[in-house]
Amino acid sequence: MRLPNGDLSTCHPLNNSVTGSASSSSEDDGGSLEETYSPVTLVDNEGLLVPPLNFAMVDYGVFRSGFPDTANFAFLQTLGLRSIIYLCPEAYPEANVEFLNANGIRLFQFAIEGSKEPPMVNIPEETIREALKAVLDEKNHPLLIHCKRGKHRTGSLVGCLRKLQKWCLTSIFDEYQRYAAEKARVSDLRFMELFDISGFKQPPASCSHSKN
């Protein structure tokens, strides 16, 4: 994983994201959509490739999004995924499991409860630590991190990764805000600020997109 140079006081521009789509929600990760923006679509010889909600590249071999559905499967195949990091407690849908099996993709599930009441949200630190270990393991790359909307749970995990990459808090919070928008949670920001990275090894300088 490529690391920006500098220490915790260094801010990094958020210019490496390839955003597929964005939305604002009337509730949290599980809420109904107030406003939906047309997703960016790519065209191949067979038709349109539609990325999942809030899709973006986090780093080389690491992507993030909301929950993929069947319309997104063709797009996901272009990423050559080895793994999916799933951050919700609900069982994975049968259609998605069949897609993973057909494409040799391993599922890592880390059950983090969603909540419509931000003051009541308690992010399980040990669960985030285990998920981060899976993200850092190059054997799992390329991988996709997702929850339901790709906002709070995914944003918190990515924020902890950024802290390990020595991003300053301003840049970490700005990236989180881009996806959470007006539904940003102070509890998430506080969790990322206090997250202890001392037990983690520094990520490798780069990682591959390919399964080969």
Side-chain angles (χ1 to χ4, degrees), residues 86-211:
Y86 173 47
L87 302 177
C88 302
E90 294 82 11
Y92 220 49
E94 183 177 350
N96 292 60
V97 171
E98 291 177 356
F99 171 76
L100 298 191
N101 291 338
N103 290 274
I105 301 172
R106 182 177 180 184
L107 177 66
F108 293 86
Q109 182 170 4
F110 300 94
I112 301 174
E113 295 288 344
S115 174
K116 297 177 184 179
E117 301 295 335
M120 302 302 293
V121 173
N122 290 311
I123 301 174
E125 181 172 349
E126 188 56 35
T127 303
I128 289 288
R129 297 182 75 84
E130 290 302 312
L132 187 54
K133 289 177 184 177
V135 172
L136 294 172
D137 188 345
E138 283 191 277
K139 295 192 298 294
N140 298 328
H141 295 177
L143 62 80
L144 174 70
I145 304 167
H146 80 82
C147 50
K148 200 156 191 177
R149 297 290 179 182
K151 296 181 179 182
H152 304 112
R153 287 170 278 195
T154 296
S156 296
L157 178 58
V158 170
C160 292
L161 172 63
R162 297 308 194 193
K163 194 169 183 181
L164 186 59
Q165 291 180 312
K166 301 188 183 302
W167 282 33
C168 72
L169 286 175
T170 300
S171 292
I172 293 172
F173 292 170
D174 282 350
E175 183 178 41
Y176 171 89
Q177 185 77 40
R178 288 175 61 195
Y179 299 93
E182 75 277 4
K183 297 299 181 181
R185 294 172 175 166
V186 174
S187 58
D188 289 349
L189 301 178
R190 184 66 171 166
F191 176 83
M192 291 183 280
E193 180 181 4
L194 298 178
F195 185 75
D196 182 13
I197 62 171
S198 60
F200 289 93
K201 294 181 180 179
Q202 182 170 298
S206 64
C207 56
S208 171
H209 288 284
S210 175
K211 289 185 179 182

Side-chain angles (χ1 to χ4, degrees), residues 55-69:
F55 175 82
M57 178 179 176
V58 176
D59 208 325
Y60 292 93
V62 179
F63 305 92
R64 63 178 290 169
S65 75
F67 209 112
D69 60 28

